[in-house]
Amino acid sequence: MRYLMTTKASDTAPDENLYVEMAKFVEELTAAGVLLATGGLEPGGVRVSSSGEEITVTDGPFAEAKEAVAGFALIDVRSKEEAIELARRFRRIVGDGESVVQQVFGS
């Protein structure tokens, strides 16, 4: 089962130890074949919305920086519990903050 793990921006600046620990974590998940993709997201983005026949395009940012999704990881694991455990491990590395885990449907 595939899951998308997203994390919100943090007020804490990353230090060298964070980069080292994240590199180890990413390497481990990649070697295990669990990590499919990972990346950071620009804080702004573009919102495309529709109402009837009208399509509206609005440049971001849209929320306070602490509410914006800052990064993601797409994983392929056996269960929701395994996805949650990986999210727990991620939070232990990066410290205080919030992540969301959502199952990805389709191929």
Side-chain angles (χ1 to χ4, degrees), residues 21-65:
E21 291 302 312
M22 279 304 299
K24 288 180 191 175
F25 188 52
V26 167
E27 184 177 312
E28 174 190 338
L29 297 184
T30 301
V34 172
L35 186 62
L36 303 178
T38 185
L41 302 173
E42 70 168 308
V46 175
R47 177 183 296 145
V48 180
S49 57
S50 61
S51 178
E53 296 295 318
E54 185 177 341
I55 306 291
T56 305
V57 177
T58 309
D59 289 329
F62 306 105
E64 293 184 38

Side-chain angles (χ1 to χ4, degrees), residues 11-107:
D11 294 334
T12 307
D15 62 12
E16 188 62 33
N17 185 54
L18 173 66
Y19 290 118
V20 169
E21 291 302 312
M22 279 304 299
K24 288 180 191 175
F25 188 52
V26 167
E27 184 177 312
E28 174 190 338
L29 297 184
T30 301
V34 172
L35 186 62
L36 303 178
T38 185
L41 302 173
E42 70 168 308
V46 175
R47 177 183 296 145
V48 180
S49 57
S50 61
S51 178
E53 296 295 318
E54 185 177 341
I55 306 291
T56 305
V57 177
T58 309
D59 289 329
F62 306 105
E64 293 184 38
K66 67 181 181 178
E67 295 298 321
V69 172
F72 74 94
L74 181 62
I75 58 172
D76 190 2
V77 293
R78 292 179 297 271
S79 66
K80 180 179 181 179
E81 292 73 26
E82 188 176 351
I84 291 169
E85 182 55 33
L86 292 177
R88 287 178 189 269
R89 289 181 59 198
F90 171 78
R91 293 291 352 150
R92 285 188 197 106
I93 294 169
V94 299
D96 294 346
E98 181 179 330
S99 295
V100 176
V101 178
Q102 296 171 283
Q103 187 172 359
V104 177
F105 299 114
S107 52

